[in-house]
Amino acid sequence: MEISVIVAGATGRMGQEVVRMIEQNDHLHLVGAVSRSNVGKDIGDIVGLGKLGILCTASVIQTLEAVQADVLIDFTTPEHVKVHAEQAILAGVRPVIGTSGLSEKDIESLSHLARLYKIGVIFAPNFAIGAVLMMQFAAKAALYMPHVEIIESHHDQKLDAPSGTAVKTAEMIARNRSEIKQGHPDEQELIDGARGAMMSGFRIHSVRLPGMVAHQEVIFGDQGQTLTIRHDSIHRESFMPGVKLAVEKVMELDYFVYGLENVLDF
C-alpha cells in the first residue's frame, strides 16, 4: 500500500531519523514536513529539509491544508502534540504520535474524536520493539513480584518527566498488582524528591544526562532475590521499525490505540 506521510518536527533528532526511514521505504512517501522551529506557529518562513528537497512549512495546519496525506507522524513537543493530532483527525489524516506528555484527559479526548470521525490513531510512548517487550515482561513479573521501582534515563533535552514509557510501564504493572505500601512505614525523605515520584503505589525515578538516548530498568524485589528488566536505545534508529509498523497499521484502524503492543502479535 502506498502511504503519503507528513512529518511534524522533521528537523529534530527523531524527525530526521523518521525522514530517513521514509526515504528508505518505497511504499512510503514524504509529502510534507514541519520544521521543529516552526512547530506551533501559524505563520513562518519556509525552510529546506536537507538534500531531499522537501519543504518544511510554517505550521501543521498549513501543511494539512496544502497536501494530500494519509498519515501525520508527530515528534514535536508536549505543548503542541494534542493540537496537531486534533487538526489531523479533522482533516481525515491518521496521526502516529511519538511525542510523550499527553495526559490521561488528552488521551480520552483524542480517543473520543477518533471514534467520532472513524480515524485511526496510534500513540506509542516508545516505538522500540525491545522497549515494548520490556514493558510486557514487567507486567508479567508484577503478578508474582509486586515490589517494584522504575528508573528511566534520557538525554538532558527531554522536556517531560517521568517519560511516557515509564508511565505506560507503571500503568501496565498496576493492572497486575494490588497497590501496596513499599519500604519502611516510617520512611522520611530528608531531601524532597529523594525517593522519586509515586505512581500506583511505587516509585519512578528520572535521570537526565547528556550522552543518553532512552533507557529504562524495572527492578523487582522479593525475599532473597531481585529481578531487573532493562532496555537501552543507544541510537534513535532503534525506534524506526516500530514507527514504520505504526504507519502501516494505522491505515487499518478507525479508533485510537495507546501503546505499540496493541498492534503487535503477542
Side-chain angles (χ1 to χ4, degrees), residues 56-266:
C56 297
T57 53
S59 74
V60 169
I61 193 165
Q62 285 176 328
T63 309
L64 290 167
E65 292 172 346
V67 301
Q68 292 291 320
D70 300 306
V71 175
L72 168 72
I73 302 176
D74 192 298
F75 280 99
T76 57
T77 66
E79 180 184 359
H80 301 295
V81 61
K82 180 174 180 286
V83 173
H84 293 170
E86 290 171 339
Q87 291 171 345
I89 292 169
L90 293 175
V93 178
R94 302 160 183 84
V96 169
I97 303 167
T99 307
S100 57
L102 285 175
S103 68
E104 185 175 339
K105 184 177 179 181
D106 292 337
I107 292 170
E108 290 176 359
S109 174
L110 290 174
S111 181
H112 172 74
L113 197 62
R115 286 196 307 272
L116 186 64
Y117 283 85
K118 299 187 184 307
I119 293 290
V121 180
I122 295 178
F123 167 43
N126 199 313
F127 282 100
I129 304 300
V132 176
L133 291 170
M134 174 265 298
M135 290 186 272
Q136 291 285 325
F137 298 156
K140 291 287 188 184
L143 289 166
Y144 306 99
M145 301 178 73
H147 291 267
V148 59
E149 299 205 5
I150 297 173
I151 303 173
E152 58 93 353
S153 306
H154 283 79
H155 57 90
D156 61 344
Q157 299 303 301
K158 186 171 177 58
L159 297 177
D160 56 314
S163 68
T165 301
V167 171
K168 177 67 171 175
T169 306
E171 292 170 349
M172 294 170 67
I173 288 171
R175 289 197 289 267
N176 286 345
R177 72 191 279 281
S178 299
E179 188 166 324
I180 57 177
K181 173 67 176 177
Q182 296 187 177
H184 196 285
D186 297 325
E187 177 183 81
Q188 293 183 354
E189 285 187 328
L190 301 183
I191 300 176
D192 287 344
R195 287 286 291 116
M198 177 72 79
M199 182 173 174
S200 301
F202 55 94
R203 303 285 183 171
I204 301 177
H205 310 265
S206 296
V207 178
R208 298 290 179 265
L209 288 171
M212 292 183 166
V213 179
H215 318 265
Q216 181 169 291
E217 54 185 319
V218 188
I219 306 172
F220 296 89
D222 206 341
Q223 289 181 313
Q225 62 180 320
T226 63
L227 169 66
T228 300
I229 303 171
R230 181 182 176 99
H231 177 262
D232 298 277
S233 282
I234 57 177
H235 193 282
R236 288 173 178 81
E237 66 183 0
S238 65
F239 305 114
M240 294 307 107
V243 173
K244 175 177 172 288
L245 175 67
V247 169
E248 293 165 346
K249 289 289 187 180
V250 79
M251 296 295 294
E252 304 169 6
L253 303 175
D254 59 3
Y255 55 90
F256 185 99
V257 168
Y258 174 32
L260 195 64
E261 72 277 4
N262 294 304
V263 295
L264 293 173
D265 296 325
F266 285 117

